[in-house]
Amino acid sequence: MFNSNSLEFTNDFSLMACLIKEDYSKYSHPPPRPHTGVYLSGRLVFTLIIFLFLALLLLVLNVVQVNSLGKVTYIGDSLDNRPVVLVYAQKLYTGYLDHVLAVFNRIGYLRVESAGQRWDVLWSHDYPFAVDELDERLKQLEPHQKVNHFPGSGFITNKASLAVSHFPFHPLAFEIPKDKKKFLKEVAKNPQKIWVEKSNMHRGIHIKKPQDINLDSSSRDTFVEEFISNPYLIDKRKCDLGIYTVLTSINPLRVYVYEDEILIRCCIQDYHPLDVTNEKQYVVGDEYTQPWELDSLRYKWKRGKFSRKQMLFTHLTENGKDADKVWLDIKNAIKEVYSKKEVDMIAASQLYRTSRNFFEMVRFDFILDENAGVWLMEVNMSPNLSSGSHIDNAVLYEQVIFNLFGLVGVANKLGHGTRLSAAKEREMQVTDMDIMTSFDACATRECRNSCSQEICELCHPCLTEDQKVTLKLARLEHVNRGGFRRVVPPPMSQSEARVAKSSNDVNGSNRFMWIWFRRMCLRDPTWCH
């Protein structure tokens, strides 16, 4: 029984139910009030019951929430062990990083968008070192933090810089207006050549006659480049090949390419007869033809379940080309680009505590000529990983991203971020014993007494702490590389490793890295090519 000065409720629920169901329509006036309290209508009583039920439900929910506070995740909460990714990108809502975010989510990362919050990985779509709010923080990185760009990576991804580096696998190019005289001399010498005008400031290429090119341009980003006029065609279409490449270390240099798959994009119109005013015949834009849409490749993809890479290799072989040589030439080109630009990138990284915090995935774009010759067109920083226009690319992008995260240690298979890794957990992944190679040599009296001989320099007493860290990172990359394979230092077969000698023109850290990989190959054939 509930009593108050104004209300009196009965605790008899059967009576209350009867009151609620009673039909009062027969009354012309409200029923008389009892002398002992206020008489309430059935509708009001029902409303009060619902209100009390909701209040009780909210109370229960509050109790559950209070009891589970230790399980609720908050960024910055000391009880939260999950790793955190800081995503720095413009117009993120448009979805161009959806696959990147999806993979981060699947491997257990929380996401923040403020540089002031705690984070373990920075994924920046743009070059982060020119952003004031990021640059100072990047100079104070903790050992566990990772950033998806390298300082100075523009030396590789800058179109003009790459074009005028005079690589033998890059079309002949001239910087304008600096090389105006050299260009005109080449035009006079080879009038049959076709030229395109390019710039860092825009995408695409435009075939132009030499007299139509502005050779007095004041822009330092403008250059002219020879047009490869005899491309390898698949069902009359010109195609380009995208090779996903990852830089994991400079000084020593370590570079990997994604071996399992490549991106193939073909023009939406036939190449012949060529109309230089129709770019759809020779330029691969946002709109392109997927390789399996071509008759020669459709069965291989739809029924044979060939990968893009295997479709291309099979087509090359069927047309009398050496597919293995094409792949080797592509990897050698990538290796040469990084080797030539390494010094510039080392210099750029001097502003930061260490270069070990950085990794970078780019996409090298190649075309083949009719003789299966390899030509590098450009290197894309922050390559497109959006399948908005080509949904069939979704799996490719997510596989590349997932394998990348394993390679660089972003997905470390622990139940928490690397910032919380204890010494025992680090040893669980790789120990000093795991990086040892020449056991017989290291057991000799010579190596026990001195580190001066080359055969002894990788023995444990001869290694510095910094060298041990370098070798442990290299081992973890090898173990977790997934579909990626190393191109720098160059892999070798075990028979090649037995007779190989390090080159004198390789600097100290790269020579050290090369020797270690060679000896790991001799120790274990799974480390060989």
Side-chain angles (χ1 to χ4, degrees):
M1 183 75 65
F2 174 84
N3 293 300
S4 72
N5 293 331
S6 58
L7 297 174
E8 182 177 37
F9 288 92
T10 178
N11 200 29
D12 188 343
F13 286 100
S14 61
L15 176 60
M16 187 177 292
C18 292
L19 290 174
I20 292 172
K21 294 180 180 179
E22 185 175 351
D23 183 6
Y24 290 106
S25 60
K26 60 185 179 180
Y27 295 109
S28 58
H29 301 285
R33 297 173 181 268
H35 296 289
T36 57
V38 178
Y39 190 92
L40 298 179
S41 71
R43 181 174 299 177
L44 181 57
V45 171
F46 183 79
T47 302
L48 287 173
I49 293 174
I50 296 298
F51 176 81
L52 290 172
F53 174 79
L54 292 176
L56 180 62
L57 180 61
L58 288 174
L59 178 62
V60 172
L61 291 176
N62 284 334
V63 171
V64 171
Q65 186 177 23
V66 168
N67 289 335
S68 62
L69 278 177
K71 301 177 183 178
V72 177
T73 299
Y74 294 100
I75 298 297
D77 191 332
S78 61
L79 297 178
D80 175 21
N81 292 340
R82 287 197 283 172
V84 178
V85 56
L86 166 61
V87 178
Y88 187 86
Q90 305 298 320
K91 299 181 179 179
L92 193 59
Y93 62 88
T94 59
Y96 64 99
L97 289 182
D98 280 358
H99 294 304
V100 175
L101 298 178
V103 178
F104 269 119
N105 181 63
R106 290 168 191 162
I107 62 176
Y109 272 73
L110 299 170
R111 177 168 65 90
V112 298
E113 296 181 17
S114 171
Q117 294 176 276
R118 186 263 297 174
W119 53 269
D120 301 287
V121 177
L122 167 62
W123 185 277
S124 178
H125 185 72
D126 300 315
Y127 189 70
F129 307 101
V131 181
D132 291 340
E133 65 179 294
L134 293 177
D135 189 45
E136 286 305 314
R137 292 184 179 275
L138 297 181
K139 292 177 181 176
Q140 302 174 22
L141 293 172
E142 299 298 326
H144 74 279
Q145 291 180 302
K146 293 283 189 177
V147 179
N148 73 319
H149 290 286
F150 259 93
S153 57
F155 288 107
I156 291 174
T157 59
N158 180 280
K159 296 179 183 178
S161 174
L162 186 69
V164 298
S165 294
H166 306 298
F167 292 110
F169 44 81
H170 192 284
L172 185 63
F174 298 91
E175 188 177 353
I176 301 300
K178 177 183 175 182
D179 296 328
K180 174 181 176 179
K181 292 183 178 179
K182 293 180 180 179
F183 170 64
L184 292 176
K185 183 177 180 180
E186 179 67 24
V187 169
K189 182 179 178 181
N190 297 287
Q192 78 284 358
K193 285 186 176 181
I194 302 176
W195 301 92
V196 294
E197 185 178 32
K198 287 188 174 184
S199 170
N200 281 321
M201 305 307 294
H202 64 78
R203 300 175 60 189
I205 61 176
H206 308 281
I207 293 178
K208 290 187 176 182
K209 297 178 180 179
Q211 59 269 28
D212 294 333
I213 298 174
N214 182 9
L215 300 180
D216 296 313
S217 171
S218 59
S219 172
R220 298 178 60 184
D221 291 326
T222 301
F223 60 100
V224 291
E225 180 179 288
E226 182 180 355
F227 179 69
I228 304 302
S229 58
N230 61 334
Y232 181 84
L233 303 179
I234 303 177
D235 291 355
K236 302 180 180 180
R237 300 290 179 90
K238 176 184 175 181
C239 305
D240 67 10
L241 318 177
I243 314 300
Y244 294 99
T245 305
V246 179
L247 174 65
T248 62
S249 173
I250 55 173
N251 198 25
L253 186 64
R254 293 196 301 275
V255 181
Y256 296 78
V257 300
Y258 192 62
E259 284 262 10
D260 284 0
E261 186 60 294
I262 62 177
L263 179 68
I264 302 178
R265 306 175 302 173
C266 301
C267 292
I268 63 175
Q269 293 185 11
D270 292 351
Y271 183 74
H272 290 299
L274 180 62
D275 176 2
V276 296
T277 65
N278 183 7
E279 295 179 7
K280 294 180 179 181
Q281 291 181 270
Y282 60 89
V283 176
V284 174
D286 292 332
E287 182 185 6
Y288 58 85
T289 300
Q290 292 280 24
W292 52 83
E293 296 177 41
L294 303 177
D295 290 340
S296 297
L297 305 179
R298 183 176 294 110
Y299 177 84
K300 297 178 177 65
W301 176 265
K302 297 291 185 181
R303 299 293 299 276
K305 296 301 178 183
F306 286 35
S307 67
R308 296 167 179 80
K309 179 183 175 184
Q310 202 56 53
M311 283 195 297
L312 172 67
F313 278 22
T314 304
H315 191 273
L316 288 167
T317 302
E318 290 171 346
N319 286 272
K321 311 301 181 185
D322 188 341
D324 290 337
K325 182 179 183 302
V326 168
W327 190 241
L328 180 61
D329 288 347
I330 286 174
K331 292 192 292 186
N332 284 338
I334 293 172
K335 177 181 72 174
E336 190 170 340
V337 169
Y338 278 103
S339 296
K340 187 168 184 176
K341 300 295 184 179
E342 182 192 15
V343 174
D344 294 323
M345 297 185 68
I346 290 175
S349 69
Q350 297 302 309
L351 296 174
Y352 302 87
R353 287 181 178 178
T354 174
S355 62
R356 289 196 179 114
N357 294 100
F358 309 114
F359 68 92
E360 183 147 23
M361 182 177 76
V362 299
R363 193 186 71 222
F364 279 68
D365 287 346
F366 294 89
I367 67 166
L368 305 180
D369 63 29
E370 61 187 1
N371 299 313
V374 170
W375 296 96
L376 174 61
M377 295 291 102
E378 62 183 18
V379 182
N380 292 277
M381 178 187 291
S382 297
N384 176 33
L385 295 171
S386 170
S387 62
S389 300
H390 297 275
I391 191 62
D392 292 309
N393 289 343
V395 174
L396 166 63
Y397 294 151
E398 293 186 357
Q399 285 184 323
V400 169
I401 296 164
F402 179 66
N403 281 265
L404 164 70
F405 289 171
L407 174 68
V408 302
V410 168
N412 64 3
K413 300 181 181 179
L414 296 174
H416 54 72
T418 53
R419 66 188 172 86
L420 299 174
S421 295
K424 289 184 178 180
E425 290 178 331
R426 293 193 293 270
E427 289 182 358
M428 176 183 69
Q429 297 177 79
V430 58
T431 68
D432 286 353
M433 290 177 285
D434 294 325
I435 60 175
M436 293 300 102
T437 55
S438 304
F439 298 104
D440 292 340
C442 294
T444 64
R445 179 177 300 176
E446 289 79 9
C447 289
R448 285 184 296 183
N449 295 333
S450 173
C451 297
S452 58
Q453 297 185 46
E454 181 178 302
I455 193 65
C456 305
E457 63 182 311
L458 288 176
C459 298
H460 187 264
C462 300
L463 294 173
T464 67
E465 291 302 315
D466 187 72
Q467 287 174 327
K468 292 176 187 177
V469 172
T470 294
L471 297 182
K472 288 179 180 180
L473 289 173
R475 179 179 175 85
L476 287 174
E477 288 173 6
H478 178 82
V479 171
N480 299 313
R481 67 194 187 279
F484 284 94
R485 292 295 179 268
R486 193 183 72 252
V487 293
V488 181
M492 60 189 78
S493 66
Q494 202 164 47
S495 59
E496 290 171 334
R498 292 190 183 98
V499 298
K501 294 182 179 180
S502 57
S503 174
N504 293 327
D505 60 355
V506 179
N507 69 43
S509 63
N510 284 339
R511 173 182 167 276
F512 167 80
M513 194 83 266
W514 182 90
I515 291 174
W516 184 77
F517 274 113
R518 170 179 172 265
R519 291 186 185 171
M520 289 299 289
C521 171
L522 291 172
R523 169 186 164 182
D524 181 353
T526 63
W527 284 74
C528 304
H529 175 60

